[in-house]
Amino acid sequence: MRQTQLLSPTLRQAPADAEAASHQLLVRAGYIRPLASGVYSYLPLGWRVMRQLERIIREEMDRAGAQEVHLPALLPAELWKQSGRYSVYGPELIRLQDRHGREFALGPTHEEAVTALIRDEVKSYKRVPLTVYQIQTKYRDERRPRFGLLRGREFLMKDAYSFAIDTDGLDASYRAMFDAYHRIMRRLGLRYRAIEADAGAIGGDGATHEFTVLADVGEDTVVSCTACEYAANLERAESGSAAGNGAGGREGSRDGNYPAPERFPTPGMRTIDELASGLGLKPSAVIKTLIYTVDGAPVAVLVRGDHEVNEIKVKNCLDAAAVELADEETVAAVSGAPIGFAGPIGLRPDVRVLVDRDVASMSEGIAGANAEDTHVKHVVPGRDIPLETVGDYRNVMEGEACPHCGEGRLQFHRGIEVGHVFKLGTKYSAALGAAVLDPNGREQPLLMGCYGIGVSRLLAAIVEQHHDERGIIWPRAIAPFQVHLIPVAWKDEAQRQAAERLYAELQQAGISVLLDDREERIGVKLADADLFGMPLRLVIGRSIAEGMVEWKERAGTGAETVRIEHCIDNVLEWV
């Protein structure tokens, strides 16, 4: 490709609204351009990278035995109503009607559509296990699109779906996709983790793993062990053990050795920090009571004062559709107190109480007294607080013991979720009637798996890990061009002829080349080359008189000179 013919408008300054490095560089280098909030056009360089990503993904999907299909993006609402997701998916689902008033949605994901397809076409157990996949544009009406391609309203995604008659078949399909995702990430040169995760809006009750690229701009918190391979997202992560008592180390809390609960004034001490500071206590000595509305009903969640409630764990424990902090009116109605003074003793009888395991292990603690400007001390779990629903309802903290090996400590990273694999079970097949006859002639709902990769998000995540202050540094496997060929002075006949000859020979050898045939200053050319990020730069300057060409790898630190007649062999060996 000749650069004079390439649509690649570069910018010297990043757009004012571009926060992430990938957003800044992809716009500055002319890879993408915004059309609307969260909606982007891909220019030729950007689309070439996307095609490279698709190629690698297709190769690994095909290697894993999956078959490519293409499903409609315009999805009938009836299918989503059958699965139950039409009313619960939320405002991210873009809904519309045709001229006849029939309801549709633009597909954010395709569980319903693919289940309907397999339901109608596969009737016998002999046709499964079966896995199909597609690479297609998806649509989600994000409340706050940000970070360029990392969180948009229109994006390219690879989604695959497996169908099996039994758990062995589902497990085999899941493992094949899990392994394929590892191969994809390694081929892309990414630093990533496969972490235990929550199923979220996709649903299902089986295993689920996120593939998360480590990057400071990531919106996800990755929790991993310093000693073993354990990794999970913050929503799912657990610590190794309940942390003993938080009230000062006294033992015998449940044999009557502690005084009865005693109310005392705490004027203006609404927060844990205010209470701990005012009373000279550690936050871990406080039993924090948070009131939630769970599917319309009030629920109290008790955690230690130094811990934070994990709403996903609460939601999963109660098998709930919606969990949100209660408003002031609800808190007052169930506790008789304003926010900041609710406690576990004396709540309205219909309030369900979830007790975090670290609270259950406390000898005693201080809690809200369900009265304004008042707390109560000598609150003993098991004596004053029923321990009927004890569980893990909190976020882990850095430095806690690993739940798997017990030897390492938990550490936090920021990450970008680029892939997710689920075991869905019969969530969709049962709802939509996707069943086959088993060997005994009985009808069995198919067991499903779902496997997604955000292709456009991958593009941005790669740039987040592969860039410097000058621009992008593409891994060789996905670069838009392998070689950037730059004559210093296009008007110089010797340089131009050498560049044209080398350009033709590289192309004939199967190497993709971008030839900078512009009549620009060399400083402009090199700045654009660094911004574009092609893996190898060959510069033809005055030394061409001696048959020498400058060889500079974008990821390297220095340049060297090579003889022009050796360039082809050197490049072929390099790629």
Side-chain angles (χ1 to χ4, degrees), residues 2-175:
R2 294 177 182 272
Q3 206 160 329
T4 53
Q5 300 171 347
L6 178 67
L7 179 59
S8 58
T10 59
L11 303 175
R12 292 300 144 220
Q13 299 295 324
D17 63 340
E19 303 173 71
S22 58
H23 189 188
Q24 296 172 2
L25 292 173
L26 288 170
V27 172
R28 283 188 56 209
Y31 282 75
I32 62 173
R33 283 292 185 267
L35 182 63
S37 177
V39 180
Y40 289 86
S41 299
Y42 294 86
L43 279 66
L45 290 178
W47 196 242
R48 287 179 71 95
V49 178
M50 292 287 276
R51 289 304 190 196
Q52 297 281 49
L53 291 171
E54 290 182 21
R55 173 183 57 80
I56 290 172
I57 291 170
R58 281 191 172 93
E59 287 173 0
E60 294 302 340
M61 289 296 100
D62 294 346
R63 178 180 172 185
Q67 304 174 65
E68 186 169 7
V69 298
H70 188 80
L71 301 171
L74 190 63
L75 305 177
E78 302 93 84
L79 285 176
W80 281 65
K81 291 176 180 178
Q82 280 183 263
S83 72
R85 287 207 297 175
Y86 194 70
S87 59
V88 302
Y89 196 87
E92 289 185 1
L93 184 65
I94 299 177
R95 306 159 201 259
L96 62 156
Q97 293 184 344
D98 67 9
R99 67 180 66 193
H100 304 292
R102 290 178 296 221
E103 294 179 300
F104 289 85
L106 290 178
T109 182
H110 277 72
E111 284 77 16
E112 288 83 359
V114 75
T115 303
L117 174 68
I118 300 303
R119 174 195 65 197
D120 296 340
E121 303 300 330
V122 176
K123 303 297 183 181
S124 169
Y125 74 94
K126 295 180 181 179
R127 300 285 302 278
V128 295
L130 172 71
T131 301
V132 296
Y133 76 95
Q134 64 172 348
I135 298 177
Q136 192 205 61
T137 301
K138 307 292 188 186
Y139 305 88
R140 291 179 190 166
D141 193 2
E142 290 281 355
R143 179 189 298 272
R144 189 185 171 207
R146 59 194 305 232
F147 297 147
L149 301 181
L150 290 177
R151 185 164 294 279
R153 293 193 291 174
E154 177 181 303
F155 52 94
L156 197 65
M157 180 177 174
K158 188 284 301 179
D159 46 324
Y161 306 90
S162 68
F163 299 84
I165 189 64
D166 53 28
T167 55
D168 287 344
L170 174 58
D171 290 347
S173 298
Y174 188 91
R175 172 52 63 179

Side-chain angles (χ1 to χ4, degrees), residues 227-249:
C228 73
E229 294 301 312
Y230 174 73
N233 64 17
L234 187 60
E235 296 171 343
R236 178 90 176 210
E238 300 177 352
S239 63
S241 62
N245 87 66

Side-chain angles (χ1 to χ4, degrees), residues 209-455:
H209 288 85
E210 286 179 3
F211 283 76
T212 302
V213 172
L214 303 181
D216 291 339
V217 75
E219 296 182 297
D220 296 331
T221 299
V222 179
V223 181
S224 64
C225 176
T226 58
C228 73
E229 294 301 312
Y230 174 73
N233 64 17
L234 187 60
E235 296 171 343
R236 178 90 176 210
E238 300 177 352
S239 63
S241 62
N245 87 66
R250 294 173 63 183
E251 300 294 336
S253 62
R254 294 173 192 138
D255 62 4
N257 291 342
Y258 282 107
E262 179 182 341
R263 294 159 66 98
F264 64 102
T266 53
M269 299 181 189
R270 290 177 176 270
T271 69
I272 296 298
D273 287 343
E274 290 170 346
L275 189 65
S277 176
L279 301 179
L281 298 171
K282 292 182 179 179
S284 58
V286 180
I287 299 172
K288 181 164 56 177
T289 303
L290 294 174
I291 308 298
Y292 283 86
T293 300
V294 179
D295 291 345
V299 172
V301 183
L302 276 54
V303 295
R304 266 185 11 197
D306 58 333
H307 292 161
E308 298 295 329
V309 172
N310 184 312
E311 295 178 6
I312 297 298
K313 291 179 180 179
V314 172
K315 182 179 179 180
N316 291 341
C317 168
L318 300 178
D319 195 22
V323 174
E324 57 184 6
L325 276 170
D327 56 26
E328 293 184 15
E329 292 182 359
T330 302
V331 173
V334 302
S335 71
I339 291 175
F341 297 98
I345 302 175
L347 288 170
R348 206 170 67 188
D350 65 321
V351 179
R352 185 169 183 179
V353 179
L354 305 185
V355 183
D356 185 74
R357 63 184 189 180
D358 290 285
V359 170
S361 72
M362 291 173 68
S363 54
E364 68 164 0
I366 292 171
N370 291 323
E372 188 170 5
D373 292 338
T374 309
H375 280 76
V376 59
K377 57 186 175 181
H378 306 311
V379 176
V380 178
R383 184 192 72 181
D384 306 311
I385 304 172
L387 301 180
E388 298 171 356
T389 314
V390 175
D392 178 13
Y393 306 119
R394 70 171 178 91
N395 290 330
V396 301
M397 299 173 67
E398 279 196 281
E400 292 190 273
C402 172
H404 278 210
C405 69
E407 297 179 2
R409 295 289 157 179
L410 298 181
Q411 58 185 350
F412 288 8
H413 314 273
R414 302 302 295 173
I416 302 166
E417 179 193 344
V418 296
H420 209 148
V421 293
F422 305 82
K423 287 183 181 178
L424 299 174
T426 60
K427 174 180 172 64
Y428 295 94
S429 57
L432 276 73
V436 297
L437 296 178
D438 68 13
N440 298 315
R442 293 191 296 261
E443 193 173 74
Q444 298 284 349
L446 288 166
L447 294 173
M448 291 178 58
C450 169
Y451 320 94
I453 286 181
V455 184

